[in-house]
Amino acid sequence: MPGEPPRRGRRRSPGAGPRRRRSLPVLGGCLVASWVVPALLTAVRLDIVLLPLLLLAVASVIKVGGVLLDRLMAAGLITAGWVLVFGLLFSLWPWGLAPVATSGVLFSTVSVLGWAGRRRPRLPWRVRGSDLLVVGTAAAAGYLLYHPLAGRSAADRIGYFASAEDRLGHFSYFTAIQQVGGFNFLHQHAAQGYLMPPAEVVYPQGSHFLLAWLDTLVHSSAAPGAELAVMNRYFLYVLASYALLCAALVWGARWIGGPRLRGWRCTAVCAVISALVLAGSDVALLVHGFDSQIIGLLFLALTVALLVRPAMGSAEFLLVSVAGMVAVTYSYNIYAAIAGIVLVGTTVAHRKKFAKRRWLLYTGQAAGLGIAALPSLVSVFAKLDVASTSNMNGPSVGVDRTLLIGSALLALVAAVPRKSRRTAVGQAYLTMVLGTVAVVGAFAWWQLHTIGYYAYYFEKMAHGGIVVGLLALGSVGTLLRIPGQRRRTVFALLTNALVAVLTVAAAFTFFAGVQWGLLSTKNSPSAWSATALVKWSHGDYATDMGPRGVAALQPPPGTTGPVIVLYSNDSYKNLKATWIAELLNRRGGDLAALYETHWVNIGGPAGQESEYQNSMAHLKDAIAKVGAAPTILVADKGTGDRIRHDLAAAGVRATIVYEPQSLWTEPWDRTFPGDS
């Protein structure tokens, strides 16, 4: 009533301030900027600036954590997931992956959501000392990964790019997305010209789509340009993804540890995990070309960490839920089992926190799970035999059983105490641990029951268990106790800094074998120098696809048909050289027929007659399957003349081109750390 004092409403959270009104002029200005800024940056070919701008825009309108790095990590996951969601639209509209169109939609979405939620853009500029360990882990990994490539041309780097068939396959999915302008499973017929069927429909394509979209920003165009340069950029993206995975594991453990993980305990946990990931054998994932698995593990780490301790509002929790499940499932769908259990367990554990908007949350999560499952359902209803595929054999990277079991046991130590189980975060944490153990254990039982041994996909699933085990160490760190000073005096700060430095040094000594120059000689180097990452940095994992050999994989001018490369009497070299040549000419689909070159052991100086005849039979089969007259590049002139004569006598049309080659001669050991 007039004259009466205003009634006191419900007490708002500290710092919330008055409820802001929505302003249509502000929304209109943001929408205009959402399109003008990308257009201007595209005009000056600086589209790559759009990526940090988009991350900062998302980070500024969400409320997750209170530290800048925490906010950026959450924004990165949300951005990646929603790029994939909108990727379904981008795949069907006429503009494909054009930077202005895709960026305009993404910025417009951020503007509308921020306006609808009355969010004034604001970033927390607070940092933590342990941020140095998170960022330092990524920097160290990135430096060591890039070191052998520094100063080399794109052609010279093929020796690292072509370390395994899997990467050639992943690159074909990536380049197909660039060419068809969207997800391959939505353009199946067109995509078959660039990759081996049925990969266009049965294999998860999220990681390849994200990298293809990123490449449009880096290249400032949806047209990729020269394919050799595209190969080089793709490889650098994969290396960066591995470095981000290392950092995400350190950050995720810190995030799960929460406010209780402070001081030297936080330093100890972050340093131990940094040492484990930098000194571990998982660089073999790069060597074997498991590119999508690396990116899937990255998103699994971010998703699980943010879900278990949702220091965010219901709107942010919905965004993280959907974005995380989409990013994980689209990138590497077997990890959806782990992420899905964590999502359900977390939603139940934190039901009171989100009670007021629970039905909106549940409805949104259900819709998000449907979107996340879409590509996998398409593959199952198309040509994917789940049972037989799950038991497939192949060159796998075995997980460190000691780390897998040990981290699981330590995680249970932190999950079992009653004090932990009585909190929502503790319940979500327990669900994460037990759910992951159940998933990995069930998959192990399935393979033992059906084929009697652990095969290819068990090792991949177990890598998901390793990720969860490392994240769980954040909660283990909160159990550590040591008496210390509580007063923030100068002496106390210096003492804490010294303890932090000593903790990091001890962690890298114990878990990475760093000897800090002590008793390290040429004949007895430190254990750190023998780690897979250091060996990679020294160039030990380069293949025998030589730099000069790559340059001549391009067929003569005017060649439009398939290309077969026979530069060696080693069939595996011929297969990879042929595959690279077809990729460089954007004809990766020919490999469905030309995979016969895996059994063609001719091309170099004449060898045994029986081997020649057997190889010629496979060569004729390959030409018959490809259905077109190929151009065959041969390293030895005498062998080339004989192949020309024998094919002509058999009525097989082909053009034989003599291309003398000098491939790398260094020995290549195909056994890498973690092989199984």
Side-chain angles (χ1 to χ4, degrees), residues 341-412:
I341 287 179
V342 174
L343 174 60
V344 173
T346 298
T347 303
V348 173
H350 294 279
R351 60 190 180 278
K352 293 182 179 179
K353 177 181 175 69
F354 304 116
K356 293 183 179 179
R357 299 184 179 179
R358 62 180 180 274
W359 294 115
L360 178 61
L361 174 63
Y362 298 159
T363 302
Q365 287 178 330
L369 289 174
I371 296 173
L374 178 62
S376 297
L377 290 176
V378 170
S379 65
V380 169
F381 286 115
K383 302 175 182 179
L384 181 65
D385 185 340
V386 178
S388 62
T389 300
S390 65
N391 289 333
M392 185 178 73
N393 283 303
S396 57
V397 177
V399 301
D400 185 335
R401 265 55 170 177
T402 302
L403 183 58
L404 177 67
I405 298 171
S407 61
L409 293 175
L410 283 175
L412 290 172

Side-chain angles (χ1 to χ4, degrees), residues 101 121 454 487 539 594 647 659:
Y454 299 133
R487 297 177 60 188
L594 299 186
L647 290 179
E659 287 281 2

Side-chain angles (χ1 to χ4, degrees), residues 43 122 212 290 336 374-375 482 500 568 604 632:
R122 180 177 298 173
F290 295 163
L374 178 62
I482 187 172
S568 169
I632 304 177

Side-chain angles (χ1 to χ4, degrees), residues 177-257:
I177 289 172
Q178 289 183 318
Q179 297 301 317
V180 303
F183 283 110
N184 295 320
F185 73 89
L186 295 176
H187 299 275
Q188 296 180 27
H189 180 72
Q192 288 176 356
Y194 305 101
L195 46 79
M196 286 194 290
E200 75 282 356
V201 65
V202 302
Y203 199 87
Q205 303 161 18
S207 60
H208 314 101
F209 183 93
L210 283 173
L211 297 185
W213 175 74
L214 173 63
D215 194 56
T216 65
L217 303 183
V218 173
H219 188 58
S220 294
S221 173
E227 201 69 359
L228 183 58
V230 176
M231 274 188 182
N232 177 59
R233 296 198 302 267
Y234 170 83
F235 189 40
L236 294 179
Y237 303 152
V238 173
L239 297 184
S241 299
Y242 187 86
L244 288 175
L245 170 60
C246 295
L249 291 171
V250 180
W251 172 84
R254 187 186 78 174
W255 175 266
I256 286 181

Side-chain angles (χ1 to χ4, degrees), residues 311-653:
M312 60 192 78
S314 56
E316 284 82 0
F317 187 66
L318 176 58
L319 288 174
V320 167
S321 299
V322 176
M325 287 303 302
V326 168
V328 171
T329 308
Y330 280 38
S331 298
Y332 214 71
N333 51 14
I334 66 171
Y335 296 138
I338 297 175
I341 287 179
V342 174
L343 174 60
V344 173
T346 298
T347 303
V348 173
H350 294 279
R351 60 190 180 278
K352 293 182 179 179
K353 177 181 175 69
F354 304 116
K356 293 183 179 179
R357 299 184 179 179
R358 62 180 180 274
W359 294 115
L360 178 61
L361 174 63
Y362 298 159
T363 302
Q365 287 178 330
L369 289 174
I371 296 173
L374 178 62
S376 297
L377 290 176
V378 170
S379 65
V380 169
F381 286 115
K383 302 175 182 179
L384 181 65
D385 185 340
V386 178
S388 62
T389 300
S390 65
N391 289 333
M392 185 178 73
N393 283 303
S396 57
V397 177
V399 301
D400 185 335
R401 265 55 170 177
T402 302
L403 183 58
L404 177 67
I405 298 171
S407 61
L409 293 175
L410 283 175
L412 290 172
V413 168
V416 167
R418 184 180 179 184
K419 183 178 180 181
S420 174
R421 289 184 285 112
R422 293 179 64 180
T423 66
V425 173
Q427 294 166 8
Y429 176 84
L430 181 61
T431 301
M432 174 191 76
V433 175
L434 295 181
T436 303
V437 170
V439 169
V440 176
F443 201 86
W445 174 87
W446 162 259
Q447 290 200 331
L448 290 176
H449 178 72
T450 54
I451 59 178
Y453 57 90
Y454 299 133
Y456 183 75
Y457 276 110
F458 168 77
E459 302 296 343
K460 291 181 174 291
M461 184 66 81
H463 271 97
I466 290 284
V467 164
V468 173
L470 291 175
L471 295 178
L473 293 182
S475 189
V476 175
T478 63
L479 302 179
L480 302 174
R481 292 289 185 271
I482 187 172
Q485 301 181 33
R486 294 183 177 274
R487 297 177 60 188
R488 296 180 64 83
T489 63
V490 174
F491 179 76
L493 293 175
L494 291 176
T495 301
N496 290 336
L498 177 60
V499 170
V501 171
L502 293 176
T503 301
V504 172
F508 273 82
T509 299
F510 278 116
F511 300 103
V514 178
Q515 296 176 192
W516 310 106
L518 182 64
L519 300 178
S520 179
T521 65
K522 181 178 180 181
N523 295 327
S524 181
S526 67
W528 166 254
S529 64
T531 59
L533 189 55
V534 173
K535 292 175 68 177
W536 169 284
S537 72
H538 293 161
D540 290 0
Y541 297 143
T543 72
D544 46 8
M545 297 302 301
R548 284 177 290 175
V550 172
L553 292 177
Q554 299 280 3
T559 301
T560 58
V563 179
I564 299 175
V565 182
L566 305 180
Y567 283 166
S568 169
N569 291 336
D570 183 327
S571 61
Y572 192 63
K573 294 179 182 178
N574 289 337
L575 171 67
K576 288 203 300 179
T578 298
W579 202 335
I580 293 174
E582 292 292 81
L583 291 174
L584 289 173
N585 290 279
R586 298 191 173 104
R587 294 183 59 100
D590 290 342
L591 261 292
L594 299 186
Y595 205 85
E596 285 284 333
T597 53
H598 199 315
W599 295 275
V600 177
N601 293 292
I602 55 177
Q608 295 183 357
E609 180 63 22
S610 60
E611 189 61 59
Y612 175 84
Q613 295 298 335
N614 180 64
S615 297
M616 281 298 295
H618 285 289
L619 180 60
K620 293 175 183 177
D621 287 344
I623 296 173
K625 290 178 180 178
V626 80
T631 297
I632 304 177
L633 309 182
V634 183
D636 182 77
K637 190 174 187 308
T639 302
D641 291 340
R642 186 177 181 185
I643 292 175
R644 179 186 294 107
H645 176 271
D646 291 350
L647 290 179
V652 178
R653 296 177 57 242

Side-chain angles (χ1 to χ4, degrees), residues 100-151:
V100 174
T102 58
S103 300
V105 168
L106 293 169
F107 278 110
S108 297
T109 302
V110 176
S111 300
V112 171
L113 292 178
W115 176 83
R118 297 184 174 92
R119 302 290 179 86
R120 179 179 296 174
R122 180 177 298 173
L123 287 171
W125 297 108
R126 180 168 166 260
V127 297
R128 294 179 60 180
S130 54
D131 289 351
L132 291 174
L133 282 169
V134 179
V135 177
T137 299
Y143 171 79
L144 292 171
L145 291 171
Y146 184 72
H147 185 264
L149 307 182

